[in-house]
């Protein structure tokens, strides 16, 4: 084996069809993302059937584009990494089937990758010097996980959401205010014109599990507030609702992270997942890390949302550790981390 390991990575767990070639887990040679967002916007959320069909249409062109842009021939690839969970089963199956077919046809090793491990590994791409151990908050549309990244491929979940993911709460609240889908960026934008202390929304807590999250209570509080205003004929200032909601989410996430930093003694703390592209969240987390004397890491927005480069980074460390998947690799919609 030469000292350059090139991984072709494939990601199709939700509504992005993505492929990438990553060298030695850190260097992105190509990163192709076909976002289906326009197909789903009119429905106000991802429609699984439509997502699977669009993945089928796009998977081969996206893989071809990733190889072309990297200037890498198929037989120069050392291994194929693919997301096999968690995610939508019909979406995952498209990527897994494509990866299995290529691995078989080219006689290359296949490595199944956990999507959440991928989000965490986006940090390895952005920060060449970053090595475990570190703490990480993975905050996306499907997941809210507080993770102890003990080593490459070794994860301990410190806390997780008991109900809605943080991104899901952003999307649902945006819909209730009438901002449309996807809600996260829209809430963030309108919040700039709002007063985050205008309305006092609750901070979800699970008493016996202080590291776990709960966002459904906050979502209900926002809905109740909106209904109350409508019934009383009071004016709703959308920007204030959005800013106050965002403040509650950001505060909850940062409070949990601070607690974990203190208890686990992390020297480094990272963010990951789509919600981490939220500037208010990034700034609050950075400030909290500064106060705790901890180095702060956060991937650029394109590496926060779903992409295949992050799967290539996670896949590289699995590959180097000898992890191999067989032709029986299947989609696992509720795959757990660790
Ligand atoms: O990581 P991601 O692309 O996909 C999943 O694995 O879920 O995350 C998408 C989620 C959506 O819920 C979206 O509303 C949220 O991330 N999001 C944001 C922002 N940008 C995306 N939430 C808050 N602020 C943002 N700027
Ligand atoms: Zn994701």
């Amino acid at each position: 084996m030469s000292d350059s390991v090139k991984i072709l990575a494939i990601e199709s767990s939700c509504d992005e069809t993505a492929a990438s070639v990553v060298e030695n887990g850190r260097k992105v040679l190509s990163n192709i993302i076909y976002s289906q967002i326009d197909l789903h916007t009119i429905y106000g959320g991802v429609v699984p059937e439509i997502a699977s069909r669009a993945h089928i249409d796009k998977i081969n062109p996206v893989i071809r584009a990733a190889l072309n842009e990297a200037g890498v021939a198929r037989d120069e690839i050392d291994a194929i990494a693919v997301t096999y969970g968690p995610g939508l089963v019909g979406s995952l199956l498209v990527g897994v089937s494509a990866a299995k077919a290529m691995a078989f046809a080219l006689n290359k090793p296949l490595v199944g990758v956990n999507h959440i491990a991928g989000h965490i590994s986006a940090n390895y791409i952005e920060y060449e010097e970053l090595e475990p151990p570190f703490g990480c908050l993975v905050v996306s549309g499907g997941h809210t996980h507080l993770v102890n990244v003990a080593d490459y491929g070794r994860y301990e979940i410190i806390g997780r959401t008991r109900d809605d993911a943080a991104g899901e709460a952003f999307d649902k609240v945006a819909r209730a205010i009438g901002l449309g889908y996807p809600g996260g960026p829209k809430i963030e934008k309108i919040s700039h014109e709002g007063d985050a202390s205008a309305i006092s929304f609750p901070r979800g807590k699970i008493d016996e599990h202080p590291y776990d999250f709960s966002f459904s209570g906050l979502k209900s509080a926002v809905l109740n507030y909106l209904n109350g205003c409508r019934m009383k004929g009071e004016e709703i200032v959308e920007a204030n609702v959005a800013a106050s909601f965002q403040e509650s989410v950001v505060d909850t996430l940062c409070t949990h992270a601070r607690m974990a930093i203190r208890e686990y003694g992390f020297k480094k703390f990272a963010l990951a997942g789509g919600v981490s592209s939220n500037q208010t969240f990034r700034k609050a987390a950075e400030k909290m890390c500064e106060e705790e004397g901890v180095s702060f890491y956060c991937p650029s927005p394109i590496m926060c949302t779903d992409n295949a480069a992050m799967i290539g980074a996670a896949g590289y460390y699995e590959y180097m550790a000898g992890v191999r998947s067989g032709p029986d690799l299947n989609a696992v919609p509720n795959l757990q981390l660790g």
Side-chain angles (χ1 to χ4, degrees), residues 158-321:
I158 302 171
R160 71 176 80 212
T161 183
R162 292 299 184 102
D163 38 59
D164 292 352
E168 195 179 348
F170 267 95
D171 294 334
K172 287 177 177 170
V173 166
R175 192 181 312 165
I177 312 178
L179 297 177
Y181 177 84
K186 296 194 165 142
I187 296 249
E188 174 170 19
K189 188 154 178 260
I190 191 178
S191 290
H192 293 310
E193 292 133 44
D195 173 6
S197 59
I199 309 153
S200 169
F201 287 130
R203 274 63 173 152
K205 266 208 229 114
I206 314 269
D207 282 339
E208 63 284 17
H209 295 280
Y211 287 113
D212 280 354
F213 302 92
S214 168
F215 293 106
S216 75
L218 168 61
K219 176 194 64 190
S220 303
V222 176
L223 297 182
N224 289 341
Y225 174 84
L226 294 171
N227 285 338
C229 288
R230 283 174 192 137
M231 274 160 58
K232 288 181 261 171
E234 287 172 8
E235 187 203 359
I236 295 169
V237 183
E238 276 111 3
N240 285 352
V241 179
S244 302
F245 158 78
Q246 181 174 271
E247 174 76 8
S248 170
V249 175
V250 168
D251 185 30
T252 303
L253 292 171
C254 290
T255 304
H256 282 60
R258 193 193 293 272
M259 242 179 359
I261 286 170
R262 289 184 182 171
E263 187 172 324
Y264 285 74
F266 295 124
K267 299 279 177 284
K268 310 169 198 170
F269 197 83
L271 304 185
V275 179
S276 305
S277 44
N278 183 294
Q279 291 300 323
T280 307
F281 176 39
R282 291 164 86 106
K283 281 190 195 130
E286 186 168 18
K287 180 163 170 278
M288 178 274 294
C289 284
E290 242 169 63
E291 287 164 4
E292 297 299 318
V294 167
S295 308
F296 173 71
Y297 304 85
C298 185
S300 56
I302 191 70
M303 282 292 146
C304 285
T305 54
D306 287 350
N307 66 82
M310 67 186 198
I311 304 303
Y316 169 78
Y317 291 103
E318 297 287 310
Y319 172 76
M320 295 307 275

